[in-house]
Amino acid sequence: MATEATTASKFPESDLRPIPQPPDFHPAIVVPAQNTTLRFWQLMVAGSIAGSVEHMTMFPVDTVKTHMQALRSCPIKPVGLRQAFRSIIKTDGPSALYRGIWAMGLGAGPAHAVYFSFYEVSKKFLSGGNPNNSAAHAISGIFATISSDAVFTPMDMVKQRLQIGNGTYKGVWDCISRVMREEGFGAFYASYRTTVLMNAPFTAVHFTTYEAVKKGLREMLPEHAGGEEDEEGWLVYATAGAAAGGLAAVVTTPLDVVKTQLQCQGVCGCDRFKTSSISDVFRTIVKKDGYRGVARGWLPRMLFHAPAAAICWSTYETVKSFFGDLNGESNVA
């Protein structure tokens, strides 16, 4: 006790100075949490913008893919990406690459509004608070694609017929009215079952890969170590989206070929099928073109979906971030 008193007398309290801390030392700062949960309509707007930007930007590649997959009545010769592109330009000119783009615009916005909003709501409900629940991501993606395909399939059929029509139809409304008059309403949904069977695994692979790659990139990059979504750069979204889109596209190409056959039947010499049976269409393709026929268009499909998904996800997450900041500011105000 005497020693402690002597020490205290030698060092008066006024002489004690705080020891400077290293630059990386920060005292605990409590920041009040802000409610930035997005409203349902904001998710729909973000999805609509993302889908429209994605499909309109990559539309020429989609046109080339459609031409490569369309099965004509004559025996098929192998058609490569360059050959298909040059054939379109030589026959119909550069404008042919954008034939059907208005049908895409009318379908992509509403369909993606449904797609992303259903995904977000389902993911939140199924994940149980675990952001790394891959099963929840996959199942939510399947729910999203079943709903969005019901909206998108009719306009996708119109779009593909205009892409290969070569003057068969005068435009979007002419195609809709003629198909309705000549083939009936069911023609708009002839490929719906195939589309869902294709997009269900596509979306499951897509969303699971996207969430996993995004998580991995956030852990790898020092600036994203905190894991906050609003700190993620567009490069993270774009990279994760490209990986997800490219992988999912290659895996599901055979079903995409079948879908194209069903949607373009009877147009410009394309085969017409008695039923919309996937197995019947598959056998017809294999009979006329061999097993390579069900892989036609895989390269432009991958070249479409990889950058398209990068554009779509980066746009979607950016718009979500904007709405999140807007909600935070309104809560503070």
Side-chain angles (χ1 to χ4, degrees), residues 215-294:
K215 178 178 179 291
L217 289 173
R218 287 167 60 181
E219 293 175 349
M220 288 171 55
L221 300 177
E223 61 268 28
H224 304 310
E228 295 294 333
E229 284 196 17
D230 58 356
E231 293 179 358
E232 292 177 351
W234 67 268
L235 185 60
V236 173
Y237 304 134
T239 304
L247 177 61
V250 173
V251 170
T252 57
T253 293
L255 284 170
D256 188 53
V257 175
V258 173
K259 184 204 75 169
T260 299
Q261 298 302 310
L262 288 170
Q263 294 191 156
C264 296
Q265 55 182 314
V267 180
C268 288
C270 290
D271 284 358
R272 185 174 290 281
F273 303 96
K274 296 180 180 179
T275 68
S276 59
S277 168
I278 296 174
S279 58
D280 287 347
V281 178
F282 189 88
R283 280 195 294 268
T284 300
I285 296 171
V286 172
K287 182 179 179 181
K288 300 193 74 169
D289 198 25
Y291 284 102
R292 67 184 177 188
V294 296

Side-chain angles (χ1 to χ4, degrees), residues 37 72 105 206 263 269 274:
T37 302
R72 316 289 171 150
H206 187 130
Q263 294 191 156
K274 296 180 180 179

Side-chain angles (χ1 to χ4, degrees), residues 38-51 109-118 120 316 319-320 323:
L38 298 188
R39 300 174 179 87
F40 189 76
W41 71 266
Q42 291 174 327
L43 294 173
M44 294 192 77
V45 171
S48 179
I49 293 173
H112 279 73
V114 172
Y115 185 77
F116 280 106
S117 57
F118 271 64
E120 293 286 1
Y316 176 68
V319 177
K320 272 180 59 181
F323 279 133

Side-chain angles (χ1 to χ4, degrees), residues 126-206:
L126 295 172
S127 63
N130 177 14
N132 301 320
N133 190 334
S134 298
H137 299 156
I139 296 171
S140 299
I142 293 172
F143 286 157
T145 197
I146 292 173
S147 304
S148 65
D149 284 342
V151 178
F152 188 58
T153 297
M155 295 312 294
D156 188 47
M157 184 275 286
V158 174
K159 181 263 299 183
Q160 287 202 312
R161 290 197 177 201
L162 290 172
Q163 283 177 319
I164 68 167
N166 192 23
T168 304
Y169 303 103
K170 297 177 182 179
V172 175
W173 303 117
D174 180 56
C175 180
I176 293 173
S177 61
R178 285 182 56 183
V179 170
M180 181 70 77
R181 184 173 62 252
E182 297 170 5
E183 303 176 48
F185 182 77
F188 291 100
Y189 283 94
S191 69
Y192 178 67
R193 181 174 55 180
T194 307
T195 301
V196 170
L197 289 176
M198 173 188 70
N199 283 341
F202 176 93
T203 308
V205 173
H206 187 130

